[in-house]
Amino acid sequence: MNLIGVLVLLIGTCASSAWGYTVQDAPLLTRRPQWLKPCKISSPDIGDCVNDMFLFMFPNLAAGIPEINVEHFEPLLLENVSISKGNGPIILTGKLYDLVVVGPSNSTPTDSEFIQSANKQGQWNFGLNIPLLDIKSKYNLKGQILVLPLVGHGSCDLKLFNIRTRLYSNLTFLEKEGREIMNIDNLIVKFRVGGLRVQFDNLFNGNKILGHTVNTFINQNGLDIVAELEESIADSLAWIFTKLMNNVFVKIPTDLWLLSDEKYAEYEKQIQKTD
């Protein structure tokens, strides 16, 4: 999502694939920037430290970090989200495109569990609360939402409120340019949405009565619709979060943020000198 998020909580519909955000190549950081707070790997509170590190660096991630070729993700721009769901209460085909997502920069990491094992593997599980995602896009959709048809193409305005997200990731620590980096191999997302508002313009070729009926029905039953699509939404979220996070952490060697006892003691001495 997020970052995160990506991140973006995608998208109230059933996305099978998405384009518009990729991991950009960049040289590894050679010095610790001010926005990066390191952690002592042996600390029993490593999860809390990683959570604080993530929270501290979040404004920079939102604005963009040119030195590691990380573009701003506020707004987050996605080119295309293809949609395909062929059975059950919701049947949809088509796509959302030219998506502009506002709100990820207001996300709050709530807690972290960080584990680095001896075999260069690890886990990072953390919570992320997002007060609001405001998503504007174009759409071209055809299908059925519960008991009502949905057909149209035009503009879509979607707002998702009070999103509580939990991410579970598997890590591998790799060597790059003679230094160790962290790569997120796969990621699982669980989430709950507190509220939803949506407006599809130009449904049924501009039929205002049918369009109003469908938009009203979706808004009245939005949480049930999201629950029906939860698995597919979560898959798309995982795809985006993985890209967002790897775009940062594969460029930051772990010797800058996961420190041995000796290196962390040196860091503390440097901080004391500057205070």
Side-chain angles (χ1 to χ4, degrees):
M1 151 163 119
N2 336 29
L3 329 182
I4 89 230
V6 279
L7 13 12
V8 56
L9 189 62
L10 209 67
I11 286 294
T13 52
C14 206
S16 61
S17 53
W19 296 268
Y21 196 94
T22 58
V23 177
Q24 303 292 325
D25 192 26
L28 296 182
L29 282 179
T30 57
R31 294 184 179 181
R32 184 183 304 111
Q34 290 185 343
W35 48 261
L36 185 62
K37 295 180 66 174
C39 296
K40 183 165 64 172
I41 189 61
S42 65
S43 171
D45 300 320
I46 182 67
D48 293 338
C49 184
V50 170
N51 195 70
D52 290 344
M53 177 199 71
F54 198 30
L55 183 62
F56 190 76
M57 70 192 296
F58 207 83
N60 294 82
L61 296 179
I65 306 175
E67 60 264 40
I68 54 174
N69 203 12
V70 172
E71 297 181 358
H72 64 84
F73 65 85
E74 181 78 21
L76 177 64
L77 306 178
L78 297 174
E79 296 172 8
N80 192 347
V81 177
S82 70
I83 297 162
S84 178
K85 188 173 191 298
N87 55 70
I90 298 175
I91 299 172
L92 281 176
T93 59
K95 65 180 179 178
L96 305 179
Y97 56 98
D98 295 341
L99 297 99
V100 180
V101 185
V102 175
S105 63
N106 294 319
S107 302
T108 302
T110 58
D111 64 281
S112 288
E113 178 188 24
F114 189 89
I115 302 169
Q116 185 182 23
S117 62
N119 62 351
K120 298 295 184 179
Q121 305 294 312
Q123 291 181 312
W124 184 10
N125 309 322
F126 61 94
L128 195 68
N129 290 348
I130 311 171
L132 169 67
L133 287 180
D134 189 342
I135 304 165
K136 292 179 171 57
S137 75
K138 302 295 184 181
Y139 79 96
N140 188 349
L141 297 172
K142 180 179 181 180
Q144 180 174 306
I145 301 287
L146 301 180
V147 298
L148 291 180
L150 188 153
V151 178
H153 59 87
S155 298
C156 173
D157 189 343
L158 171 65
K159 292 179 174 61
L160 300 171
F161 303 96
N162 299 323
I163 307 140
R164 298 183 179 274
T165 308
R166 190 80 191 165
L167 298 94
Y168 304 86
S169 64
N170 292 323
L171 314 172
T172 300
F173 294 88
L174 307 171
E175 184 174 310
K176 181 179 180 181
E177 299 175 16
R179 302 171 76 188
E180 183 185 77
I181 60 167
M182 182 183 78
N183 184 76
I184 295 173
D185 298 328
N186 56 70
L187 190 149
I188 296 173
V189 177
K190 304 289 184 182
F191 70 94
R192 287 292 182 271
V193 177
L196 176 152
R197 297 294 298 175
V198 68
Q199 175 67 38
F200 288 105
D201 293 335
N202 199 45
L203 287 170
F204 305 100
N205 292 319
N207 187 310
K208 293 185 178 180
I209 294 176
L210 289 176
H212 176 74
T213 298
V214 170
N215 277 306
T216 300
F217 181 84
I218 293 174
N219 284 307
Q220 290 176 344
N221 297 274
L223 296 184
D224 291 335
I225 293 170
V226 170
E228 172 67 24
L229 297 169
E230 180 176 342
E231 183 177 349
S232 296
I233 298 172
D235 288 345
S236 293
L237 272 174
W239 186 92
I240 292 174
F241 275 128
T242 301
K243 295 290 185 181
L244 286 169
M245 294 175 69
N246 277 336
N247 198 33
V248 177
F249 285 100
V250 299
K251 303 166 188 175
I252 306 177
T254 58
D255 57 40
L256 295 180
W257 64 278
L258 282 179
L259 305 186
S260 65
D261 291 359
E262 180 182 357
K263 293 295 183 182
Y264 194 80
E266 293 177 3
Y267 164 75
E268 288 183 313
K269 289 180 182 179
Q270 293 172 355
I271 293 298
Q272 291 172 358
K273 289 180 181 179
T274 58
D275 288 343

